[in-house]
Amino acid sequence: MNNTVEIDNVSKRYGRIEAVRSVSFSLPAGETVALVGHNGAGKTTLIKLMLGLIHPSEGMVKILGEHPAAGEFAARRRLGYLPENVSFNAALTGRELLAFYARLKGEAPAQAMALLDRVGLAAAAGRRVGTYSKGMRQRLGLAQALIGAPALLLLDEPTTGLDPALRQSFYEIVQELRDRGATVVLSSHALTELEERTDRVVIMNRGLMVANGSLDALRRIARLPTRIRLHLTGGRPAQMPGWLESAGTWHPVNGHVIELDALPEQKMDLLRQAIHADHALEDIEVVPPTLDELYAHFLRSQGDAR
Amino acid sequence: MKSLCIIAIKEIQEGLRNRWVLATTLLLLALSLTLSFLGSAPTGNVGVRALDVVIVSLSSLSIFLLPLIALLISYDAIVGEVDRGTMLLLLSYPVARWQVLLGKFCGHLAILAFATILGYGATAAALALTGTPIGADSWMAFAQLIGSSILLGAVFVAIGYLVSAHVQDRGTAGGIAIGIWLLLVLLYDMAILGFLVVDQGRTLSADMLNVLLLLNPTDTYRMFNLAGSAGVSSLSGMAGIAEVQTLQPPVLLGMLAVWILLPLAAATTIFSRREL
């Protein structure tokens, strides 16, 4: 029992709208989790439930061993949250705001100032937040989420408005927190960006959780084909070798590249044959199904099930 | 308690930064100086103690101005922060909603108190410096004026929060706040006056009138200041009322306190139940 987050059969209704329906999952410490779904799929509702800002209509939410909606606040000291479209009071400076948030968490404001440096805002710390660009506000939002070395970070669309260099340093910070044992929940649309950085993917659709598992596990469940690209030297032969014909679906990409779609159990066999075949191979690319494709697949399969 | 102070301090900081403190103080200062110096000029020769005149002018000024200022500060406090999205982040911190509300209340009240004490106090100081003799009971009445003015401000800050916690939209909150101001400051008294004139004392007894006046915080404040001390009541034309008035100052102050606590408690309850 070392789970940071436990969500057990939780539903949340707003009037007639069911924002979240019977969702259950638990997140162990030290995991980076991608929360994926369309707008309105229930991601933000789930995050608000975890924060205790709203009460579940049914089920139980437990964060760091506490029930957040029941007015237990000790866990919030070890929780960092970055809302979608974060906003601050424009009249105060970055430094003043960060000091305010640090005090609320019971941390020394002086220590929090190092975070401004960390997110690249040290030079603008004395300026009013009203003069900040969207990217700078996002960075200030990240800095306040990191106050007090949180054990659970809930980041709603964290990289919107960040330029590529900052995205990189953002993911470095996330990596560092994970190494320290923090659970990081990232909700995002930028699926390709999340792909290499998450231990677990939770896919939401219309309030239902349609998938929950590591990327590899989801690939196994989805049974999506791996794409194999063969680069041939000297162009495509007029007569394709027999093993290729039996391999099923293949199609030419251009004059000297052909692409095969291989099911998981076929993959190794096909690769072996491709290497041992007599025509000259220049290169082989193996592309496993991306998070994008998995996401589309799970949404589709849920649609079929209805 | 600590979180409450942190929020109050931030509220004051914001007030200083966006010039609410400056604007309010200057407004009260300018108006009270104008009123007292222009107002006391014609009475100077008659030998009336000038500070008592000032108290009459200032309490009339306060009845119009302080509720307005208090509502303007407070109507946006909750609905505005929810609207801008800052409340979402604040409530994800280890702080209860009642702490947020009371913290804001302390902050806003501090701003109002500062403006009132400085604005009105400067007038009294100016009178003393220009050599006007001021008796001890006049000073007492003046201190009571400042204290009850702050209470009046607190009443309307609390009412503003109640509105702010209840509505979903900032524009609605502003509209309702202005409506409340008009009702309690202008229309209520006009209605009572009109009724008194028409009624000619047939159905409305003095007791009932007292109850009606107690039900409106601005009237409670007016009675406390204008009829409270002998020197002032003879000037304010309230001496007649003061003689028959059965309402003692503690009752009036208690009523103001009720007018602070009830809306504040209601605002806290509504805010705690509000879904973000």
Side-chain angles (χ1 to χ4, degrees):
Chain A
M1 161 56 225
N2 198 19
N3 286 336
T4 315
V5 175
E6 295 210 48
I7 293 193
D8 185 21
N9 208 15
V10 163
S11 299
K12 175 68 192 172
R13 282 182 291 273
Y14 290 104
R16 269 210 217 124
I17 304 158
E18 281 198 284
V20 168
R21 284 182 280 174
S22 321
V23 169
S24 302
F25 59 82
S26 49
L27 308 176
E31 245 186 7
T32 305
V33 185
L35 192 58
V36 181
H38 286 316
N39 289 326
K43 291 173 296 177
T44 302
T45 306
L46 266 181
I47 289 182
K48 284 183 182 175
L49 282 166
M50 289 190 242
L51 286 166
L53 293 176
I54 50 180
H55 297 259
S57 309
E58 277 156 36
M60 182 211 69
V61 181
K62 215 170 171 189
I63 302 296
L64 298 163
E66 277 189 359
H67 299 281
E72 297 171 23
F73 298 129
R76 287 199 189 168
R77 228 174 270 281
R78 300 194 291 136
L79 190 149
Y81 169 51
L82 173 62
E84 188 180 0
N85 302 323
V86 65
S87 56
F88 299 100
N89 190 298
L92 301 181
T93 68
R95 188 181 291 121
E96 285 166 341
L97 269 171
L98 204 63
F100 166 68
Y101 287 118
R103 282 192 204 103
L104 270 188
K105 265 195 183 167
E107 298 286 324
Q111 278 179 342
M113 290 311 133
L115 290 171
L116 280 178
D117 203 21
R118 186 79 202 269
V119 297
L121 275 181
R127 272 168 51 192
R128 286 185 192 204
V129 175
T131 67
Y132 281 19
S133 68
K134 183 170 185 331
M136 291 166 84
R137 283 203 302 274
Q138 190 73 11
R139 280 185 267 166
L140 184 60
L142 187 59
Q144 64 78 25
L146 295 174
I147 291 172
L152 172 63
L153 264 176
L154 301 171
L155 308 174
D156 205 348
E157 302 286 345
T159 54
T160 40
L162 295 187
D163 58 48
L166 276 165
R167 265 167 211 240
Q168 203 56 47
S169 66
F170 165 74
Y171 282 113
E172 277 166 24
I173 295 173
V174 168
Q175 181 68 41
E176 197 186 296
L177 285 163
R178 182 173 64 167
D179 294 345
R180 256 195 278 149
T183 304
V184 184
V185 178
L186 297 162
S187 124
S188 182
H189 295 296
L191 300 184
T192 21
E193 211 176 276
L194 293 176
E195 194 163 309
E196 305 132 41
R197 296 174 172 105
T198 52
D199 307 306
R200 181 194 293 270
V201 181
V202 173
I203 301 180
M204 296 289 299
N205 186 31
R206 283 178 282 184
L208 287 170
M209 186 176 74
V210 291
N212 168 22
S214 70
L215 210 52
D216 282 339
L218 294 189
R219 280 185 184 130
R220 274 198 301 279
I221 298 167
R223 291 183 47 76
L224 289 179
T226 299
R227 233 176 295 133
I228 301 175
R229 280 187 173 194
L230 306 175
H231 294 248
L232 309 169
T233 38
R236 181 151 55 94
Q239 178 72 41
M240 296 313 281
W243 65 267
L244 200 56
E245 296 296 347
S246 65
T249 46
W250 66 272
H251 55 93
V253 176
N254 58 34
H256 49 98
V257 179
I258 54 176
E259 196 174 87
L260 313 172
D261 287 339
L263 288 173
E265 65 271 13
Q266 292 178 307
K267 186 176 77 182
M268 285 314 294
D269 200 34
L270 279 174
L271 280 173
R272 228 172 272 127
Q273 286 189 5
I275 289 166
H276 293 302
D278 42 358
H279 50 253
L281 268 180
E282 198 175 77
D283 196 7
I284 300 183
E285 276 181 80
V286 181
V287 188
T290 62
L291 185 53
D292 262 319
E293 288 165 327
L294 281 170
Y295 175 56
H297 168 84
F298 280 106
L299 290 199
R300 235 181 298 125
S301 60
Q302 193 210 9
D304 293 345
R306 300 172 144 251
Chain B
M1 194 61 209
K2 205 179 142 214
S3 313
L4 204 149
C5 291
I6 295 168
I7 289 172
I9 289 166
K10 182 192 171 235
E11 214 57 50
I12 295 170
Q13 209 176 13
E14 275 175 22
L16 286 170
R17 192 59 57 77
N18 60 26
R19 310 234 158 59
W20 256 113
V21 178
L22 188 70
T24 315
T25 312
L26 282 183
L27 183 69
L28 289 181
L29 183 70
L31 282 174
S32 76
L33 281 177
T34 314
L35 266 182
S36 52
F37 279 94
L38 295 182
S40 66
T43 55
N45 297 330
V46 202
V48 173
R49 287 169 300 174
L51 194 62
D52 290 340
V53 182
V54 170
I55 289 170
V56 175
S57 322
L58 283 188
S59 55
S60 302
L61 172 72
S62 303
I63 284 172
F64 285 93
L65 210 53
L66 282 178
L68 192 63
I69 293 172
L71 285 170
L72 283 178
I73 291 182
S74 62
Y75 85 89
D76 200 34
I78 294 163
V79 72
E81 283 222 35
V82 171
D83 214 39
R84 286 190 295 269
T86 46
M87 190 61 88
L88 196 63
L89 185 59
L90 181 59
L91 292 181
S92 78
Y93 275 77
V95 49
R97 295 195 185 186
W98 65 267
Q99 289 174 319
V100 172
L101 200 86
L102 282 188
K104 279 177 169 289
F105 182 74
C106 293
H108 285 151
L109 195 60
I111 292 174
L112 268 181
F114 177 81
T116 313
I117 292 171
L118 208 73
Y120 291 0
T123 306
L127 281 179
L129 283 177
T130 49
T132 316
I134 299 170
D137 58 334
S138 293
W139 277 118
M140 191 60 205
F142 191 75
Q144 283 177 356
L145 168 79
I146 289 184
S148 59
S149 297
I150 295 170
L151 279 181
L152 182 69
V155 167
F156 282 87
V157 170
I159 292 175
Y161 287 168
L162 179 57
V163 173
S164 199
H166 190 67
V167 301
Q168 298 296 328
D169 181 79
R170 299 173 69 183
T172 319
I176 294 177
I178 295 295
I180 286 177
W181 181 80
L182 276 175
L183 176 72
L184 291 184
V185 173
L186 295 175
L187 301 179
Y188 192 88
D189 290 355
M190 281 187 193
I192 288 187
L193 265 178
F195 188 76
L196 283 176
V197 169
V198 173
D199 188 52
Q200 296 290 337
R202 279 192 296 268
T203 49
L204 200 66
S205 68
D207 285 346
M208 278 171 73
L209 182 64
N210 275 339
V211 171
L212 281 177
L213 291 181
L214 268 182
L215 286 179
N216 183 342
T218 55
D219 286 324
T220 311
Y221 169 85
R222 198 194 315 264
M223 283 194 283
F224 178 78
N225 280 299
L226 295 189
S229 97
V232 176
S233 61
S234 63
L235 273 176
S236 61
M238 299 276 272
I241 290 181
E243 277 162 24
V244 295
Q245 194 188 32
T246 46
L247 296 168
Q248 294 307 305
V251 177
L252 297 169
L253 285 182
M255 199 59 206
L256 282 179
V258 168
W259 267 103
I260 296 169
L261 293 177
L262 276 186
L264 210 53
T268 312
T269 315
I270 293 174
F271 181 42
S272 301
R273 293 201 187 136
R274 188 172 177 145
E275 301 242 300
L276 288 171

